[in-house]
Structure formats: C-alpha cells, structure tokens
Amino acid sequence: MKAIAITRAAQNGSNLDFLTDIELPQPTASGHDLLVEVKAVSVNPVDTKVRAGFNADAPRILGWDAVGVVTAVGEAVTLFQPGDEVWYAGALTRPGSNSEFQLVDERIAARKPKTLDNASAAALPLTAITAWELLFDRLGIKEGGSENDVLLIVGAAGGVGSIMTQLARKLTRLTVIGTASRPASQQWVKELGAHYVIDHSKPLTEELARIGVKQVSHVASLNDTEEHYQQLINALKPQGKLALIDDPQSLDALPLKVKSISLHWEFMFTRSMFTTDDMIAQHQLLSRVAQLIDEGVLRTTLGEHFGTITAANLRKAHALLESQRAVGKIVLEGFAD
C-alpha cells in the first residue's frame, strides 16, 4: 500500500523535507481492529510535533484524523462490518492515517456523518474529541446548563477552537468569548457563533474590559498558555476552572491557590494510549457529533483542501500549520494512481 512517512530526524532545524512517499505491506485486522481504506485525512498540530521530534531508525506514518471505508474486521469487533463508512482520530501509539489502509480500534471510531463528504468529515474527529472532552469531561460543563457562566476560548479560530465554539454555543447556555488576532480569523469565530471576539495579541484583561466583562468562570487555553497564563489567572473568577491542551515549557500552579482555581489537562489520546475502561466514550461522542452535524446543529471546520494525499501536499500542509496562519482545518483526499 502507499503511505507517507517521516524518514529522518531534523537537520538544520527542520525535517519537513523528509516527509516521503513509501510502500508498505497492507496490515491485517484482528481483535477489536477495523481495517479501513482511507479516503480523506486532515492535518493537526500533533502531526507537526511528532514529525519534528522524530528520531528513529524505521519510518513513521503520521496522520490521525481519517475518514474511510471498513474493508475487514477483527474477530472481536461488534460495532462495525465491512462496507461501513467511518471516521476517527486514531491512536498516537500506532501507525497513522497517511496511508491507503490503516488499523483502528472500533472503540474509538464511529460512522461518519451522512450529510458530509469525506473531506468535510475528515476535518473534525480529533478536534471534535478534544473539544468535547475539554468542555464536558474536563471543565465539567453540563449540556443545556451554565446559564450564568462565561467561557473564554483562547485561540478560537484554530481546529479545536472552531468546534469548541460551536459546541459551547449550541449545546450549553454559556456566554462564549473567543480570541483571534487577524480580521479573517475574527470573522470566522463570529460566524461559528461566539457572542464576543477579542484580540489575544492585546492584553486580555483590557480586551475583556472593552466588551464589559470583568471576569470569566471557565477558560479553555488552546495555545500560548505560558504567554497568557498570568492574565488568565487575573481574568478568572475565584473557584474558576482553567483547561489547556498545549505544551508550555513550565507552568507554576501555585498562583492558582489564592483563587482556588482548578487546572485541567486535555489529551485526547489518553483513552486509547492506556486502553481506559471508558475508551468507548470516544465512539459514543463521535457518534453524537455525527448526529449533530446531520441535524444541522454543527458544521464542518474545513478551511482548505490541499489535494491528494502525497508527501508534497503534506509538506505544504505542515508548513502552513506551523506558520500558525491556518484558519480552520487543512484536508487532503484520495491517493494518486
């Protein structure tokens, strides 16, 4: 089968040029695994981070978001059968989705939305899982609740922010404030339903004051947490909640004590990495998100379509993502003959 892998460690600061087209044997499904013929993928920050940190002897297939068709199932599979169209975000510890065929555990996959084409669907799984778990599992927001609470989403125009803005606005009664620094990204966040959009390139406390908000009850910090950390503490109410997904060099929890602010990490690969007892929760939430899309409640966060799944196109996608100027998700579809 065709695949795209990172083949060499970084040299002169980057190994982007070592994303390479390769050929590998097609894997075989067993146990809870589905063998999926991959139709479309999207690119996430985790792709660029794993690529940049690669330092191994054997090539590694990257890619986590995928949409495809089940072609075979393991003997323990009960949720799917060959011919089912599925979507998923895969597992960090297994070969990725940048290949014609991929094995994925049935408990972290679901049937794709019926109303979306493959490319539009591929934009969503990883970010939808991350946003859902962050909002409902980590921050503890209840569907239909939090009428008097205010959620600040730092980096609302990115992949996770784009779906989290929709989930918070459509499924809760939160007041939703998104941050974005450029006119195009600010307009995107407004279209996704944020009540307010503020500029994170300016002091956040001043921007919140500009829209008449003194303090917020919940923060979802999706990027640059270290840069904004003290401002987020200042902006949070006593007994507020701060959740993050990025990788600050260090984070001193002591300043949270005076306000009794709780700190929450979200890492969507935790369930698959540790085969947790509730691993099937990702199947369930992806099924729910598909239903919400088919009902017109949520929309795809597809930003740009970069063509077929090739090393050259993936290199372009990684470069744009690393520039931090992408709006919405970057998707690739199909393998060249």
Side-chain angles (χ1 to χ4, degrees):
M1 67 176 183
K2 294 177 181 177
I4 296 90
I6 184 64
T7 56
R8 292 175 64 180
Q11 296 179 355
N12 300 321
S14 175
N15 60 352
L16 185 60
D17 290 339
F18 302 129
L19 272 175
T20 308
D21 294 299
I22 63 173
E23 290 275 343
L24 290 172
Q26 183 176 308
T28 302
S30 62
H32 282 282
D33 281 348
L34 313 174
L35 179 64
V36 176
E37 184 179 1
V38 175
K39 299 296 185 181
V41 301
S42 71
V43 181
N44 293 280
V46 64
D47 298 55
T48 65
K49 291 174 185 177
V50 173
R51 188 210 79 234
F54 175 79
N55 188 16
D57 295 329
R60 179 167 186 183
I61 303 172
L62 305 179
W64 282 273
D65 273 332
V67 169
V69 177
V70 177
T71 61
V73 300
E75 68 279 1
V77 169
T78 61
L79 299 173
F80 302 94
Q81 59 188 8
D84 287 340
E85 293 183 297
V86 294
W87 66 343
Y88 53 88
L92 191 62
T93 53
R94 304 185 72 174
S97 60
N98 296 338
S99 58
E100 287 187 287
F101 293 89
Q102 183 187 14
L103 294 176
V104 62
D105 192 297
E106 64 171 338
R107 292 167 290 185
I108 59 172
R111 287 173 177 80
K112 72 174 277 287
K114 297 182 179 70
T115 54
L116 291 185
D117 59 31
N118 291 333
S120 299
L124 288 165
L126 187 147
T127 53
I129 294 169
T130 302
W132 188 286
E133 290 184 349
L134 196 157
L135 188 63
F136 298 117
D137 296 345
R138 313 297 170 233
L139 288 175
I141 302 296
K142 304 297 183 186
E143 285 193 53
S146 296
E147 181 177 4
N148 298 316
D149 290 333
V150 180
L151 170 66
L152 174 64
I153 304 174
V154 180
V160 174
S162 293
I163 190 68
M164 191 175 191
T165 300
Q166 296 181 73
L167 289 172
R169 186 63 200 272
K170 298 286 190 175
L171 300 186
T172 79
R173 302 178 76 179
L174 287 160
T175 296
V176 181
I177 304 171
T179 81
S181 60
R182 294 178 289 119
S185 54
Q186 290 170 352
Q187 182 60 34
W188 172 261
V189 176
K190 289 177 184 176
E191 291 174 0
L192 293 174
H195 292 93
Y196 303 99
V197 182
I198 62 175
D199 186 347
H200 54 237
S201 69
K202 300 175 181 177
L204 291 177
T205 47
E206 293 179 12
E207 282 288 279
L208 288 169
R210 179 177 61 80
I211 61 172
V213 174
K214 294 182 178 179
Q215 290 185 308
V216 302
S217 56
H218 299 78
V219 170
S221 183
L222 308 180
N223 53 44
D224 298 324
T225 298
E226 202 164 13
E227 176 186 341
H228 300 301
Y229 188 52
Q230 187 56 53
Q231 293 185 72
L232 298 177
I233 295 171
N234 295 341
L236 274 161
K237 292 180 178 179
Q239 304 180 85
K241 296 184 177 184
L242 168 61
L244 62 152
I245 65 170
D246 60 343
D247 301 294
Q249 289 287 323
S250 63
L251 207 62
D252 181 5
L254 195 58
L256 304 175
K257 179 179 179 180
V258 176
K259 285 187 174 180
S260 296
I261 293 170
S262 56
L263 182 65
H264 307 263
W265 286 95
E266 162 56 22
F267 186 54
M268 66 131 288
F269 294 114
T270 296
R271 282 173 160 142
S272 58
M273 184 177 288
F274 295 98
T275 319
T276 60
D277 292 341
D278 66 348
M279 185 169 159
I280 200 168
Q282 292 192 345
H283 162 75
Q284 294 164 345
L285 76 84
L286 279 176
S287 298
R288 179 77 192 289
V289 171
Q291 178 187 358
L292 290 166
I293 288 169
D294 288 340
E295 291 173 351
V297 177
L298 302 177
R299 55 179 275 198
T300 182
T301 54
L302 170 62
E304 295 191 62
H305 194 306
F306 269 38
T308 54
I309 306 168
T310 65
N313 287 339
L314 279 167
R315 286 194 290 268
K316 294 175 186 176
H318 278 231
L320 178 58
L321 204 59
E322 288 180 318
S323 76
Q324 296 191 329
R325 297 188 66 82
V327 177
K329 292 294 295 294
I330 304 166
V331 170
L332 299 90
E333 182 177 14
F335 288 82
D337 294 331

